[in-house]
């Protein structure tokens, strides 16, 4: 099984990640808002899978200049907000539309708020697995809107992770918080 994964599964997945990263690198010159929409939306497509990881790696790479100096990045801000939206959106749904969820699903509400605010996208996975045709597209749209707004408002982030714990270092954090709220709703 390990040999199959190493020699058969890894090469195409690696090629996909390389292609996605190259496509994002070439898009960097096109439009900041469009790039923010794309990378933030990618964070919600598979919530921890190859698209999510490609966007995250692209975001973390944007934190360094060609000379290796650390910078604050609008792309990283869009990536992080895109990963925060799905669990927060799920938590909002289980808070305001309780009758549409089972008792077990409603018990994840506080956990999803915490995970979303901590930039842990995976809290939304059980809901996406249970109803992928409704959950995934809505999370992608919400994440993309939040990422695009973050870029539009000029929000930047010098840290590769952290959620609300790094809000003090986010440039224009009030508009970042507004972008997060709009995308989550």
């Amino acid at each position: 099984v390990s040999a199959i994964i190493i020699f058969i599964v890894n090469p195409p997945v690696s090629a996909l990640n390389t292609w996605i990263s190259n496509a994002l690198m070439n898009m960097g010159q096109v439009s900041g808002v469009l790039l923010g929409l794309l990378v933030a939306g990618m964070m919600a497509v598979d919530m921890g899978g190859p698209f999510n990881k490609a966007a995250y790696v692209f975001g973390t790479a944007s934190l360094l200049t060609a000379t290796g100096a650390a910078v604050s990045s609008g792309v990283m801000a869009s990536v992080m907000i895109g990963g925060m939206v799905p669990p927060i959106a799920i938590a909002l749904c289980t808070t305001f539309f309780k009758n549409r969820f089972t008792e077990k699903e409603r018990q994840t509400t506080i956990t999803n708020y915490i995970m979303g605010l901590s930039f842990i996208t995976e809290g939304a996975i059980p809901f996406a697995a249970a109803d992928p045709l409704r959950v995934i597209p809505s999370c992608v749209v919400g994440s993309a809107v939040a990422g695009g707004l973050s870029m539009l408002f000029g929000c930047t982030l010098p840290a590769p992770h952290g959620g609300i714990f790094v809000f003090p270092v986010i440039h224009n954090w009030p508009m970042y918080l507004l972008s997060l709220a709009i995308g989550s709703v």
Side-chain angles (χ1 to χ4, degrees):
V1 171
S2 294
I4 290 171
I5 291 171
I6 291 169
F7 296 111
I8 296 175
V9 175
N10 279 353
V13 171
S14 176
L16 175 65
N17 276 335
T18 302
W19 177 80
I20 291 170
S21 293
N22 290 337
L24 290 173
M25 290 287 190
N26 293 331
M27 185 182 185
Q29 306 302 323
V30 177
S31 166
V33 174
L34 185 59
L35 183 59
L37 284 163
L38 182 64
V39 295
M42 286 174 65
M43 290 298 290
V45 168
D46 54 5
M47 300 177 201
F51 287 99
N52 175 290
K53 294 303 178 225
Y56 181 75
V57 168
F58 183 73
T60 57
S62 72
L63 294 172
L64 295 174
T65 65
T67 62
V71 295
S72 193
S73 165
V75 173
M76 189 65 229
S78 291
V79 166
M80 189 169 82
I81 207 168
M84 293 171 74
V85 165
I88 293 172
I90 295 294
L92 288 170
C93 289
T94 58
T95 299
F96 294 107
F97 305 104
K98 293 178 195 249
N99 62 339
R100 296 184 184 169
F101 297 94
T102 66
E103 179 63 29
K104 187 176 179 181
E105 290 172 330
R106 289 193 306 267
Q107 289 174 351
T108 68
T109 301
I110 292 172
T111 303
N112 271 313
Y113 279 123
I114 293 168
M115 290 179 82
L117 291 172
S118 301
F119 180 41
I120 302 171
T121 311
E122 288 79 2
I125 290 175
F127 295 87
D131 191 2
L133 295 178
R134 285 192 277 189
V135 173
I136 294 173
S138 60
C139 286
V140 169
V141 169
S143 290
V145 166
L149 287 172
S150 172
M151 289 291 265
L152 180 68
F153 296 141
C155 303
T156 61
L157 172 66
H161 209 288
I164 61 167
F165 304 106
V166 296
F167 270 33
V169 298
I170 293 175
H171 173 72
N172 201 7
W173 69 265
M175 296 309 282
Y176 194 73
L177 191 57
L178 177 64
S179 300
L180 178 62
I182 291 170
S184 296
V185 170

